[in-house]
PDB file of all heavy atoms in Angstrom:
ATOM      1  N   MET A  78     -25.553  44.016 -12.761  1.00 97.00           N
ATOM      2  CA  MET A  78     -24.534  43.454 -11.874  1.00 97.00           C
ATOM      3  C   MET A  78     -23.126  43.665 -12.426  1.00 97.00           C
ATOM      4  O   MET A  78     -22.182  43.861 -11.674  1.00 97.00           O
ATOM      5  CB  MET A  78     -24.789  41.960 -11.679  1.00 97.00           C
ATOM      6  CG  MET A  78     -26.134  41.670 -11.065  1.00 97.00           C
ATOM      7  SD  MET A  78     -26.510  39.912 -11.045  1.00 97.00           S
ATOM      8  CE  MET A  78     -25.164  39.278 -10.064  1.00 97.00           C
ATOM      9  N   THR A  79     -22.991  43.550 -13.733  1.00 97.00           N
ATOM     10  CA  THR A  79     -21.715  43.762 -14.409  1.00 97.00           C
ATOM     11  C   THR A  79     -22.013  44.052 -15.869  1.00 97.00           C
ATOM     12  O   THR A  79     -23.059  43.661 -16.388  1.00 97.00           O
ATOM     13  CB  THR A  79     -20.781  42.532 -14.258  1.00 97.00           C
ATOM     14  OG1 THR A  79     -19.490  42.856 -14.785  1.00 97.00           O
ATOM     15  CG2 THR A  79     -21.327  41.306 -14.953  1.00 97.00           C
ATOM     16  N   ARG A  80     -21.101  44.778 -16.516  1.00 97.00           N
ATOM     17  CA  ARG A  80     -21.281  45.063 -17.948  1.00 97.00           C
ATOM     18  C   ARG A  80     -19.936  45.378 -18.569  1.00 97.00           C
ATOM     19  O   ARG A  80     -19.042  45.896 -17.914  1.00 97.00           O
ATOM     20  CB  ARG A  80     -22.284  46.179 -18.174  1.00 97.00           C
ATOM     21  CG  ARG A  80     -21.790  47.547 -17.758  1.00 97.00           C
ATOM     22  CD  ARG A  80     -22.810  48.667 -17.814  1.00 97.00           C
ATOM     23  NE  ARG A  80     -23.714  48.636 -18.912  1.00 97.00           N
ATOM     24  CZ  ARG A  80     -24.917  49.221 -18.896  1.00 97.00           C
ATOM     25  NH1 ARG A  80     -25.320  49.879 -17.832  1.00 97.00           N
ATOM     26  NH2 ARG A  80     -25.704  49.162 -19.937  1.00 97.00           N
ATOM     27  N   ARG A  81     -19.839  45.062 -19.844  1.00 98.00           N
ATOM     28  CA  ARG A  81     -18.610  45.335 -20.582  1.00 98.00           C
ATOM     29  C   ARG A  81     -18.938  45.464 -22.053  1.00 98.00           C
ATOM     30  O   ARG A  81     -19.635  44.629 -22.616  1.00 98.00           O
ATOM     31  CB  ARG A  81     -17.627  44.182 -20.345  1.00 98.00           C
ATOM     32  CG  ARG A  81     -16.269  44.353 -20.923  1.00 98.00           C
ATOM     33  CD  ARG A  81     -15.406  45.259 -20.019  1.00 98.00           C
ATOM     34  NE  ARG A  81     -14.130  45.526 -20.609  1.00 98.00           N
ATOM     35  CZ  ARG A  81     -13.035  44.827 -20.401  1.00 98.00           C
ATOM     36  NH1 ARG A  81     -13.064  43.803 -19.581  1.00 98.00           N
ATOM     37  NH2 ARG A  81     -11.929  45.145 -20.997  1.00 98.00           N
ATOM     38  N   SER A  82     -18.458  46.522 -22.683  1.00 98.00           N
ATOM     39  CA  SER A  82     -18.625  46.741 -24.114  1.00 98.00           C
ATOM     40  C   SER A  82     -17.266  46.523 -24.776  1.00 98.00           C
ATOM     41  O   SER A  82     -16.254  47.054 -24.306  1.00 98.00           O
ATOM     42  CB  SER A  82     -19.122  48.167 -24.372  1.00 98.00           C
ATOM     43  OG  SER A  82     -19.346  48.365 -25.744  1.00 98.00           O
ATOM     44  N   ILE A  83     -17.249  45.734 -25.853  1.00 98.00           N
ATOM     45  CA  ILE A  83     -15.980  45.438 -26.519  1.00 98.00           C
ATOM     46  C   ILE A  83     -16.116  45.561 -28.033  1.00 98.00           C
ATOM     47  O   ILE A  83     -17.191  45.413 -28.595  1.00 98.00           O
ATOM     48  CB  ILE A  83     -15.441  44.045 -26.139  1.00 98.00           C
ATOM     49  CG1 ILE A  83     -16.424  42.935 -26.499  1.00 98.00           C
ATOM     50  CG2 ILE A  83     -15.079  43.997 -24.657  1.00 98.00           C
ATOM     51  CD1 ILE A  83     -15.881  41.517 -26.246  1.00 98.00           C
ATOM     52  N   ALA A  84     -14.982  45.820 -28.673  1.00 98.00           N
ATOM     53  CA  ALA A  84     -14.932  45.993 -30.125  1.00 98.00           C
ATOM     54  C   ALA A  84     -15.072  44.651 -30.844  1.00 98.00           C
ATOM     55  O   ALA A  84     -14.879  43.582 -30.253  1.00 98.00           O
ATOM     56  CB  ALA A  84     -13.604  46.643 -30.514  1.00 98.00           C
ATOM     57  N   ALA A  85     -15.381  44.723 -32.116  1.00 98.00           N
ATOM     58  CA  ALA A  85     -15.454  43.528 -32.963  1.00 98.00           C
ATOM     59  C   ALA A  85     -14.139  42.769 -32.876  1.00 98.00           C
ATOM     60  O   ALA A  85     -13.059  43.361 -32.913  1.00 98.00           O
ATOM     61  CB  ALA A  85     -15.737  43.935 -34.407  1.00 98.00           C
ATOM     62  N   GLY A  86     -14.244  41.458 -32.708  1.00 98.00           N
ATOM     63  CA  GLY A  86     -13.057  40.609 -32.640  1.00 98.00           C
ATOM     64  C   GLY A  86     -12.384  40.550 -31.277  1.00 98.00           C
ATOM     65  O   GLY A  86     -11.441  39.795 -31.082  1.00 98.00           O
ATOM     66  N   ALA A  87     -12.847  41.324 -30.314  1.00 98.00           N
ATOM     67  CA  ALA A  87     -12.218  41.380 -28.994  1.00 98.00           C
ATOM     68  C   ALA A  87     -12.817  40.339 -28.048  1.00 98.00           C
ATOM     69  O   ALA A  87     -13.906  39.816 -28.271  1.00 98.00           O
ATOM     70  CB  ALA A  87     -12.364  42.772 -28.394  1.00 98.00           C
ATOM     71  N   THR A  88     -12.068  40.073 -26.973  1.00 98.00           N
ATOM     72  CA  THR A  88     -12.505  39.175 -25.907  1.00 98.00           C
ATOM     73  C   THR A  88     -12.234  39.853 -24.577  1.00 98.00           C
ATOM     74  O   THR A  88     -11.208  40.517 -24.415  1.00 98.00           O
ATOM     75  CB  THR A  88     -11.739  37.839 -25.973  1.00 98.00           C
ATOM     76  OG1 THR A  88     -12.010  37.212 -27.228  1.00 98.00           O
ATOM     77  CG2 THR A  88     -12.154  36.901 -24.850  1.00 98.00           C
ATOM     78  N   ALA A  89     -13.147  39.704 -23.633  1.00 98.00           N
ATOM     79  CA  ALA A  89     -12.984  40.269 -22.292  1.00 98.00           C
ATOM     80  C   ALA A  89     -13.431  39.237 -21.277  1.00 98.00           C
ATOM     81  O   ALA A  89     -14.219  38.346 -21.592  1.00 98.00           O
ATOM     82  CB  ALA A  89     -13.816  41.539 -22.142  1.00 98.00           C
ATOM     83  N   THR A  90     -12.929  39.357 -20.059  1.00 97.00           N
ATOM     84  CA  THR A  90     -13.389  38.487 -18.983  1.00 97.00           C
ATOM     85  C   THR A  90     -14.037  39.335 -17.902  1.00 97.00           C
ATOM     86  O   THR A  90     -13.646  40.482 -17.673  1.00 97.00           O
ATOM     87  CB  THR A  90     -12.255  37.649 -18.375  1.00 97.00           C
ATOM     88  OG1 THR A  90     -11.247  38.519 -17.881  1.00 97.00           O
ATOM     89  CG2 THR A  90     -11.662  36.705 -19.403  1.00 97.00           C
ATOM     90  N   MET A  91     -15.030  38.754 -17.264  1.00 97.00           N
ATOM     91  CA  MET A  91     -15.778  39.417 -16.207  1.00 97.00           C
ATOM     92  C   MET A  91     -16.008  38.392 -15.106  1.00 97.00           C
ATOM     93  O   MET A  91     -16.099  37.206 -15.393  1.00 97.00           O
ATOM     94  CB  MET A  91     -17.129  39.896 -16.754  1.00 97.00           C
ATOM     95  CG  MET A  91     -17.025  40.737 -18.005  1.00 97.00           C
ATOM     96  SD  MET A  91     -18.507  40.722 -19.049  1.00 97.00           S
ATOM     97  CE  MET A  91     -19.693  41.547 -18.062  1.00 97.00           C
TER      98      MET A  91
END
Side-chain angles (χ1 to χ4, degrees):
M78 300 172 60
T79 187
R80 71 187 322 156
R81 185 80 185 267
S82 183
I83 59 175
T88 299
T90 58
M91 307 155 67

